Amino acid sequence: MDIHHLKYFIEVARQKSFSKAAVAAHVSQSAISKMIKDLETDLGVTLFNRNSKSVQLTDAGVIFLGQAQQVVSMFNNLTTEFENEFKLEKGRILIGLPPVTEATVFAQLLGEFRKKYPQIDIELYEHGSKNVELRVQEGTLDIGVVCNIPDDAVYESFSLTNDPLRVIIHLDNPLSRLSEIDLKDLANESFVIYRDDFSLHDEIIDHCKMVGFQPRIIFETSQRELMVQTVAANLGIAFLPSKLCAELSSKSVTSIPLASPQIWHQMSVIWKKGRYLSHAAQLWLSFAKKALLQGESVIDK
């Protein structure tokens, strides 16, 4: 016996006809007749008196009808309540992002999301891109923001920004007077670079090797401000995305475009391919995509 048996039984009792019940339920008359027969066999009673003109409930059928109607009503309410609960815009999302991310941009994006979905909590975790990828793959983060091109065999993703790096350099350095700098011109400079759990760490080193030198790294950090302060002390040069260079507060440093080859700060949103995502996480992804496509977000492509 299942819920379909009960629904068809109720329909036959309502229509007082197997043929009319079959039409109303969009099934064949033989299917209805078989289900009622199976139901009577399971219960060990006759539910309907059948004759050539009509179908009437037996005494047992009258009793069972009341119980069946209660069960079907409870089932329908259960389904509706579950769907309503599931579709409630609430929950928690775990998002990982690297410290080099434009904080103001994400604060504004997340603030707009919070206005629209006040019952959804977002927990942010700061890691380098490599760690963000690992944690998304392990399932300890729902969504990640990374500064590289994601592996599409492992992750679903969409692009947020594609921003060229600029060279952060002290004003006393003769290179600071150039309108643009080739990477090979930095061969004799000391580098302040991102920690090795950042994708940009490998990206910068690989590009330096590509133009013929191994960079002399004096300091690795995940803190943007500390990176700028080290350059302001004239201890070396560093690299920042062009959008962040507009926020430089030190009067002793400047930023210069990196001309050849360019290194890009590519930001993407990732989530693990094939992994279940909560309704809340799906709402965030949909919100972010829509904001980007419609130009409503403060994030510039």
Side-chain angles (χ1 to χ4, degrees), residues 207-268:
H207 275 75
C208 289
K209 290 179 179 179
M210 187 171 65
V211 298
F213 73 96
Q214 176 73 38
R216 184 170 69 252
I217 299 170
I218 62 165
F219 186 40
E220 295 182 4
T221 179
S222 65
Q223 302 302 315
R224 184 205 326 171
E225 190 57 36
L226 183 56
M227 184 179 288
V228 174
Q229 288 174 2
T230 305
V231 175
N234 205 12
L235 297 176
I237 60 94
F239 302 86
L240 279 179
S242 66
K243 290 185 179 67
L244 294 181
C245 291
E247 302 174 11
L248 291 174
S249 57
S250 175
K251 296 181 180 179
S252 58
V253 304
T254 189
S255 71
I256 300 175
L258 185 61
S260 178
Q262 282 190 318
I263 304 175
W264 293 86
H265 178 238
Q266 300 169 303
M267 291 179 58
S268 300

Side-chain angles (χ1 to χ4, degrees), residues 47-173:
L47 298 172
F48 293 104
N49 285 320
R50 301 160 174 87
N51 58 50
S52 59
K53 293 184 178 180
S54 65
V55 176
Q56 298 293 331
L57 286 169
T58 63
D59 290 342
V62 171
I63 295 171
F64 187 71
L65 176 61
Q67 296 176 340
Q69 288 172 329
Q70 289 183 35
V71 171
V72 170
S73 177
M74 290 174 63
F75 178 83
N76 291 337
N77 288 338
L78 174 65
T79 304
T80 301
E81 288 173 9
F82 171 76
E83 290 176 348
N84 289 340
E85 182 71 16
F86 178 74
K87 291 177 182 176
L88 276 179
E89 294 161 349
K90 65 181 183 180
R92 183 181 65 152
I93 314 170
L94 307 179
I95 301 178
L97 67 162
V100 74
T101 301
E102 294 93 322
T104 302
V105 165
F106 274 90
Q108 292 176 356
L109 176 63
L110 295 175
E112 290 301 313
F113 180 80
R114 186 61 183 271
K115 287 179 185 176
K116 187 170 183 179
Y117 303 107
Q119 295 187 77
I120 294 179
D121 294 324
I122 294 181
E123 295 184 14
L124 298 177
Y125 295 88
E126 191 175 79
H127 304 286
S129 290
K130 294 179 185 177
N131 277 339
V132 169
E133 284 195 41
L134 179 61
R135 290 169 186 267
V136 169
Q137 192 169 352
E138 292 174 342
T140 54
L141 289 174
D142 300 313
I143 297 167
V145 177
V146 295
C147 301
N148 55 11
I149 299 175
D151 183 351
D152 60 9
V154 180
Y155 306 104
E156 301 283 357
S157 66
F158 61 86
S159 176
L160 281 179
T161 62
N162 197 19
D163 193 16
L165 295 186
R166 293 172 68 100
V167 181
I168 309 303
I169 194 166
H170 196 280
L171 290 173
D172 288 344
N173 190 313

